[in-house]
Amino acid sequence: MSAPVHASAPAARVARRSYLLRAADQLATAMVTYGIPLLILATTGSGALTGLAYLVEWVPRLAVFTVAGTLVDRHGPHRVFRLANAARTVLAALTIAALSTLPGSGAAGTVVALCFCAAAGGTAQVSFLAAEAIGSAHSQQSPRHAHQVQSVQIGIDQGALIAGPLLGGVLLLAGPLALLAAIAAASLAAVGGTVGWHPPTATSAVTDPTTSFARSLGAGLRTVVRRPALVWLVAGLAASNLALAVIESSAPITIMQHFGHTSAMVGVVWSVGAALSLLGLAVCSRSIDRWGLWAVGAMGAAVVCLGSLTTALAPGFATYTAGVALLLGADAVMTVVLRTLRARLIPPRGSGATLSVTIVAILLPFPLAGALVAAVPASGLPVLLTTCALVQITILAAAFAGLRRHRADLAAPVDPLRPIPPHEDETSPTDLAPAA
């Protein structure tokens, strides 16, 4: 009887290591995502440049997916994760050196900050895809507890969302070099933690190294198109991300210029929302076990839409903060559901390329949001937010209806749209969770 316990111990240690490394990586990414636009707004006072910073960060993120998935399939996610964080560490160090010789509020410093934002965005998505591939392997190895793996990973992401914006806003009070040093430190910690790291990989996941990038991505695209449930899943996530991204990219303008608060309050708003998302994740797994993925996902989607509308129509700062908190809390729950389904729909072989295709589609709204915020005057932001919320409601309703029509595609290896009775449980949830 003790053999399974001893056999699972190394896997549990590998799982804990992968969770810790994901935390360091996501913290660095969150500080880039929220800190650099704040830096641009604080030094230039320009809402257009703030939207531009968001845009130039996300365009490279999408561009790297044309090769990142194939690199993961060829070389393994752990190696790609290590190299991506090493590259971000070097980029942060070079940016610190450049800004040390330039005026803090000059045009040259702004250009350097934008260049770092673009380059760091690209490396962030490479490391994210590698971490997602590792998480997908965890899910495939224990399919009955796939939603618990996703809950842990999203909990890590939301924890970084709490610390990243708040830390970025506080560090900016000490100057941009302090923010960049913290980004470099978190990235370096992720690199150092990969020494001796051997995460799980999906069965037959590594592809032929002679396969071209275009052919690999083509295979991933065909996998998506052939699975209607996956198409609906991607559509729902993309629509939700559009509303979230517009709120996220316009937050510095709304909070600092419309409501008259400081840059630190921008971090506080997002940290409050991320804290509520952790509360949602705390009850998410038990709710799914009791009521099933379908019921929990549909409820999460409804609350997400309510949060978006509340934020768009908020008459004051308190209502705005409550709307953001409601949105982020429900979005975390809904994302657990949809990522669990995605892990079950994507086959092991060539999973990196298929993940690339789905993530590109899901993340396209982020650079689009940056472009919209840059193009729309501050007075027009409420109308933009309301329009995106209505689009989100319409597409999420259609997406969940489409997923329900294709329930058969979601029933492997077990039907994720029904609760799992306790007597069918084959593995312990603690095998997939970090140590207390």
Side-chain angles (χ1 to χ4, degrees), residues 166-224:
L166 187 59
L167 186 59
V170 172
L171 287 172
L172 274 178
L173 299 178
L177 298 186
L179 172 63
L180 291 167
I183 294 170
S187 302
L188 187 60
V191 174
T194 59
V195 177
W197 183 38
H198 301 289
T201 55
T203 305
S204 303
V206 179
T207 60
D208 184 350
T210 63
T211 302
S212 68
F213 290 117
R215 186 174 179 181
S216 177
L217 285 175
L221 180 60
R222 286 191 296 273
T223 300
V224 174

Side-chain angles (χ1 to χ4, degrees), residues 389-400:
L390 294 175
V391 170
Q392 179 188 45
I393 292 170
T394 302
I395 296 181
L396 273 179
F400 272 86

Side-chain angles (χ1 to χ4, degrees), residues 314-397:
F317 180 71
T319 307
Y320 179 88
T321 302
V324 170
L326 195 64
L327 169 62
L328 292 181
D331 183 72
V333 174
M334 185 183 70
T335 303
V336 168
V337 172
L338 295 182
R339 284 190 185 180
T340 300
L341 298 182
R342 184 180 66 181
R344 296 186 178 192
L345 287 168
I346 294 177
R349 183 169 181 82
S351 61
T354 307
L355 272 173
S356 290
V357 173
T358 61
I359 294 176
V360 165
I362 290 169
L363 296 183
L364 274 173
F366 286 92
L368 175 60
L372 289 173
V373 171
V376 174
S379 60
L381 287 179
V383 175
L384 176 62
L385 292 171
T386 303
T387 302
C388 291
L390 294 175
V391 170
Q392 179 188 45
I393 292 170
T394 302
I395 296 181
L396 273 179

Side-chain angles (χ1 to χ4, degrees), residues 74-392:
R74 285 183 181 180
H75 305 293
H78 62 291
R79 184 178 302 172
V80 173
F81 179 91
R82 178 171 58 248
L83 292 176
N85 274 282
R88 182 165 54 192
T89 303
V90 173
L91 286 169
L94 292 175
T95 305
I96 290 173
L99 291 181
S100 297
T101 63
L102 294 172
S105 60
T110 301
V111 171
V112 169
L114 289 174
C115 289
F116 171 73
C117 194
T123 59
Q125 286 310 109
V126 174
S127 62
F128 173 76
L129 181 60
E132 282 290 285
I134 294 167
S136 180
H138 279 304
S139 297
Q140 291 167 9
Q141 290 178 352
S142 298
R144 292 186 185 274
H145 294 289
H147 60 281
Q148 293 170 351
V149 176
Q150 296 299 327
S151 293
V152 173
Q153 293 191 145
I154 295 173
I156 291 170
D157 296 347
Q158 296 303 316
L161 188 59
I162 291 176
L166 187 59
L167 186 59
V170 172
L171 287 172
L172 274 178
L173 299 178
L177 298 186
L179 172 63
L180 291 167
I183 294 170
S187 302
L188 187 60
V191 174
T194 59
V195 177
W197 183 38
H198 301 289
T201 55
T203 305
S204 303
V206 179
T207 60
D208 184 350
T210 63
T211 302
S212 68
F213 290 117
R215 186 174 179 181
S216 177
L217 285 175
L221 180 60
R222 286 191 296 273
T223 300
V224 174
V225 172
R226 290 171 182 170
R227 295 176 178 242
L230 191 55
V231 174
W232 280 116
L233 185 151
V234 169
L237 281 171
S240 187
N241 279 349
L242 177 62
L244 176 61
V246 171
I247 293 171
E248 187 177 277
S249 57
S250 64
I253 302 170
T254 302
I255 295 172
M256 296 176 66
Q257 295 186 352
H258 182 67
F259 292 125
H261 290 284
T262 65
S263 63
M265 290 304 297
V266 179
V268 169
V269 169
W270 287 103
S271 296
V272 169
L276 188 61
S277 71
L278 289 179
L279 179 61
L281 290 172
V283 300
C284 182
S285 292
R286 291 183 181 273
S287 299
I288 291 172
D289 288 337
R290 182 172 182 178
W291 292 296
L293 279 175
W294 173 260
V296 175
M299 179 61 68
V303 180
V304 161
C305 295
L306 177 62
S308 295
L309 276 176
T310 301
T311 304
L313 303 175
F317 180 71
T319 307
Y320 179 88
T321 302
V324 170
L326 195 64
L327 169 62
L328 292 181
D331 183 72
V333 174
M334 185 183 70
T335 303
V336 168
V337 172
L338 295 182
R339 284 190 185 180
T340 300
L341 298 182
R342 184 180 66 181
R344 296 186 178 192
L345 287 168
I346 294 177
R349 183 169 181 82
S351 61
T354 307
L355 272 173
S356 290
V357 173
T358 61
I359 294 176
V360 165
I362 290 169
L363 296 183
L364 274 173
F366 286 92
L368 175 60
L372 289 173
V373 171
V376 174
S379 60
L381 287 179
V383 175
L384 176 62
L385 292 171
T386 303
T387 302
C388 291
L390 294 175
V391 170
Q392 179 188 45

